[in-house]
Amino acid sequence: MIRKIVIFSEMIKIEHTLFALPFAFMGAILGSFMVNGALPTWAEIGWILLAMFGARSAAFGFNRMIDRVIDGKNPRTASRAIPAGLLKSSEVIIFIIVCLALLFWASYQLNPLALKLFPVALFMLVFYSYTKRFTWLCHIVLGLTLGLAPLGGWIAVTGRFDTAALVLYITIVFWTAGFDIIYACQDFDFDQKEGVYSIPARFGVAGALKIARAFHVITAIGFILLFFAADLSWWYLAGMIISYIILFYEHYIVTPNDLSRLQTAFFNMNSILSIVVFVFTLIDLVVRHYV
């Protein structure tokens, strides 16, 4: 049992929660302060956490199931649980069903709009994994999917859409698409050989890195627009300066001729960025409302 838990934990990449969870909480606290004038309740935080666990775990389960043949051909991913025979497809399907049940239950506990949007989330979780078979825009589709984390956090505590929520959503869409393009550069040769669609396979590594930089420029602009849309203060701006430095460094250490620090750029830098943006946003709101 313990061995299975470890294998499932590896399959769903628990550490990658650092990409989406801080932004889900950021959406929740921004929405709660703008609409309710206070932090979310502990109950709301708990249901958001459960919804995030269900959504991202189901997403990884879908991805590993749908991509199991491609993963088996790729030397980088051949050791993943399903192609390596560590997990049966039936076990992963049961795991996905349980995770979707958790997401549905959490959505039901939050508010009617969150529950109504459950089918949208489900569609995006499934659809993304198929896009690499027919379009190099798959990175943007991933962004549209991961961007549901902050948007979902906002809706979870407000039960409605707002301009600031949409600004945050679009910002995270391009942030995600940008770092996913960088990540995909390591599979450039395999993707071209096997006909897998990606921006690196379509435009080359050099072209892909330029597109990733352009996407992260849009991200930087989005964070500034959020400053005005959410009426934030200098604490938030301080966090933005740090996040811009992180984005610059992420692109500085990865070049078309040197991908050796790609994992650092993809995981370390983006995990730190999401935490920094959330923490400084939280400080901004707490200082202005409680200090």
Side-chain angles (χ1 to χ4, degrees):
M1 178 63 71
I2 294 176
R3 179 173 175 270
K4 286 289 185 181
I5 292 174
V6 171
I7 294 172
F8 272 110
S9 297
E10 171 60 27
M11 183 190 74
I12 64 175
K13 297 290 183 183
I14 290 292
E15 66 274 15
H16 287 190
T17 303
L18 293 174
F19 291 152
L21 189 59
F23 282 117
F25 286 146
M26 181 177 171
I29 62 172
L30 275 174
S32 187
F33 268 109
M34 291 187 69
V35 176
N36 306 319
L39 284 169
T41 65
W42 284 111
E44 288 172 330
I45 292 296
W47 289 119
I48 290 171
L49 184 61
L50 183 62
M52 282 295 301
F53 176 81
R56 69 172 308 281
S57 298
F60 268 95
F62 278 127
N63 181 261
R64 297 301 187 254
M65 276 294 297
I66 294 168
D67 283 352
R68 61 190 183 279
V69 175
I70 294 176
D71 286 346
K73 295 179 180 179
N74 188 341
R76 184 180 66 82
T77 58
S79 61
R80 286 177 175 173
I82 299 178
L86 301 177
L87 289 176
K88 299 177 182 178
S89 295
S90 58
E91 293 175 320
V92 177
I93 291 173
I94 293 172
F95 175 78
I96 291 171
I97 293 172
V98 171
C99 291
L100 289 178
L102 291 176
L103 174 59
F104 179 86
W105 180 245
S107 301
Y108 173 79
Q109 292 294 326
L110 286 164
N111 58 63
L113 181 57
L115 184 60
K116 289 178 181 177
L117 292 175
F118 172 81
V120 176
L122 176 58
F123 172 78
M124 295 301 294
L125 294 178
V126 176
F127 179 62
Y128 159 68
S129 293
Y130 286 104
T131 55
K132 67 180 67 176
R133 290 160 172 77
F134 61 87
T135 177
W136 47 264
L137 294 175
C138 53
H139 313 282
I140 294 179
V141 178
L142 177 62
L144 292 169
T145 305
L146 190 64
L148 293 175
L151 188 60
W154 187 292
I155 293 171
V157 299
T158 65
R160 72 188 202 192
F161 292 98
D162 292 273
T163 300
L166 294 176
V167 171
L168 178 59
Y169 175 66
I170 293 171
T171 300
I172 302 309
V173 166
F174 282 97
W175 171 65
T176 303
F179 73 65
D180 190 56
I181 291 170
I182 295 174
Y183 185 73
C185 287
Q186 64 188 320
D187 290 329
F188 169 74
D189 292 330
F190 175 81
D191 288 351
Q192 283 204 323
K193 177 183 176 182
E194 295 294 328
V196 177
Y197 286 78
S198 71
I199 284 180
R202 172 64 179 81
F203 298 99
V205 173
L209 293 178
K210 290 179 181 178
I211 294 172
R213 285 195 291 271
F215 281 4
H216 283 164
V217 168
I218 297 174
T219 299
I221 294 171
F223 281 135
I224 290 297
L225 293 177
L226 184 64
F227 169 76
F228 294 103
D231 191 27
L232 294 164
S233 70
W234 69 270
W235 276 104
Y236 172 84
L237 285 179
M240 289 306 95
I241 293 173
I242 297 174
S243 70
Y244 292 165
I245 293 172
I246 293 171
L247 281 176
F248 174 82
Y249 184 70
E250 177 180 348
H251 289 276
Y252 175 76
I253 64 175
V254 178
T255 68
N257 299 318
D258 183 8
L259 300 177
S260 62
R261 290 188 285 180
L262 184 145
Q263 285 295 332
T264 298
F266 166 72
F267 180 71
N268 299 61
M269 294 298 99
N270 289 293
S271 298
I272 294 171
L273 183 146
S274 64
I275 294 171
V276 165
V277 175
F278 167 69
V279 168
F280 276 85
T281 302
L282 177 61
I283 293 172
D284 186 302
L285 296 171
V286 169
V287 167
R288 285 196 296 139
H289 288 81
Y290 294 112
V291 178

